[in-house]
Amino acid sequence: MKRERIVSNLILFSALLITLAYLLACATVPAPDMPKRTYVEEWTVIKPKFDNSDIKKIGVVKLSNATLRKGIEDNITANIVAYLREKGDYGIVIINETVDGLPTSSLAQKLGKQYGVDAVLFGNLDFYNYDSNTWQEYIKGNAYTSGFIGYYGYIYSKRYGTESHYVTWMKRSVSMTVTYNFINSKTGEVLWTETADGKSWIKGGVDDVSTRDESVFFKGAQEEIITCLKEILNYKMKYRKYI
């Protein structure tokens, strides 16, 4: 019996030595260097789904506004023009005329001759809403909360004390919808239509949110309804090409 115990202990000790030696070997052998992939940055041009080969100059009609929030259409129109000039390669002509109702091919052809453009971009602000709400909630001690501003991805975190208590929350947001029509003013063909939605919002403690007014959220929502216009451009985009 004693002999069997000694043999068993020797086997266990040997197993421990083998395990230890393996671990030491793994710790001392450096990991192999992974081959690094190299790349070059190149530009690519994403063309629209329609044929735009005969379009050199486009006219941008002042945005129509079907909402009760009047006055913001001028700001949005100016930013649409700025975006098209920065991102596209068309000549841009501003058409300071207001179009009520659905734009027609005949109207696009008329404006094309009048302003010397190959295509006309119409837009209508269908919906606009600014919302600000407050409410109270019972928060346990050491609780954290966070907020998020839509388009910009701004995130914050804050701890609301070590004792359980009530916190006054606030949420502010701007939502808007714009319908676009892009019409060839030579042929009258409707090249592209889009209904674009934009929203920017934040939720958090009233002390944090109340410092941000409507203009902050208007800017974020506006960015979302404008960036979809890349679909009518020869849009340049940078990408990595691995070699």
Side-chain angles (χ1 to χ4, degrees):
M1 188 72 178
K2 185 177 180 181
R3 183 178 179 183
E4 291 177 354
R5 185 179 299 171
I6 293 173
V7 172
S8 177
N9 288 338
L10 286 173
I11 293 173
L12 180 61
F13 182 69
S14 299
L16 289 173
L17 287 177
I18 293 172
T19 303
L20 180 61
Y22 175 77
L23 292 175
L24 288 173
C26 292
T28 55
V29 175
D33 292 333
M34 298 297 293
K36 294 182 179 180
R37 298 183 67 189
T38 58
Y39 63 89
V40 293
E41 289 188 336
E42 295 185 354
W43 288 92
T44 185
V45 177
I46 301 176
K47 293 184 176 295
K49 296 179 180 179
F50 54 84
D51 180 14
N52 67 339
S53 58
D54 62 338
I55 299 176
K56 307 301 179 185
K57 187 182 295 185
I58 66 173
V60 179
V61 178
K62 179 180 176 181
L63 194 74
S64 301
N65 188 350
T67 74
L68 298 177
R69 182 68 162 82
K70 302 302 181 182
I72 59 175
E73 61 271 14
D74 291 336
N75 187 311
I76 299 175
T77 302
N79 284 288
I80 287 173
V81 170
Y83 178 85
L84 294 175
R85 283 176 172 164
E86 178 188 358
K87 302 295 185 181
D89 51 9
Y90 299 126
I92 305 296
V93 175
I94 302 173
I95 300 177
N96 287 313
E97 297 189 23
T98 302
V99 177
D100 296 323
L102 188 67
T104 62
S105 297
S106 59
L107 176 59
Q109 290 174 311
K110 175 185 174 182
L111 293 174
K113 291 179 181 179
Q114 183 178 347
Y115 289 89
V117 296
D118 305 310
V120 180
L121 176 67
F122 299 91
N124 184 67
L125 182 63
D126 304 313
F127 174 80
Y128 182 88
N129 183 62
Y130 169 62
D131 197 24
S132 180
N133 294 313
T134 58
W135 68 96
Q136 283 196 325
E137 184 178 347
Y138 189 70
I139 300 297
K140 294 183 179 181
N142 293 318
Y144 283 81
T145 188
S146 62
F148 176 74
I149 294 182
Y151 182 81
Y152 295 99
Y154 172 74
I155 300 175
Y156 70 88
S157 182
K158 182 175 180 179
R159 189 173 76 174
Y160 285 87
T162 58
E163 301 296 330
S164 300
H165 61 292
Y166 280 94
V167 170
T168 301
W169 300 113
M170 175 176 278
K171 181 178 180 180
R172 284 182 172 175
S173 65
V174 164
S175 303
M176 65 174 73
T177 301
V178 171
T179 298
Y180 294 106
N181 287 275
F182 190 52
I183 303 176
N184 187 314
S185 56
K186 294 179 179 178
T187 65
E189 180 186 0
V190 179
L191 302 174
W192 176 77
T193 61
E194 181 74 20
T195 299
D197 297 310
K199 186 171 185 179
S200 181
W201 60 274
I202 190 172
K203 171 188 172 185
V206 66
D207 293 337
D208 298 307
V209 178
S210 61
T211 62
R212 298 173 173 88
D213 60 16
E214 181 181 358
S215 63
V216 175
F217 310 105
F218 173 82
K219 185 177 181 181
Q222 180 184 233
E223 290 283 351
E224 290 191 346
I225 60 100
I226 289 178
T227 52
C228 74
L229 290 171
K230 65 184 179 183
E231 295 184 30
I232 69 171
L233 304 174
N234 293 323
Y235 190 75
K236 296 179 181 179
M237 187 172 65
K238 185 180 287 187
Y239 72 102
R240 289 181 177 181
K241 180 180 180 181
Y242 287 92
I243 55 178

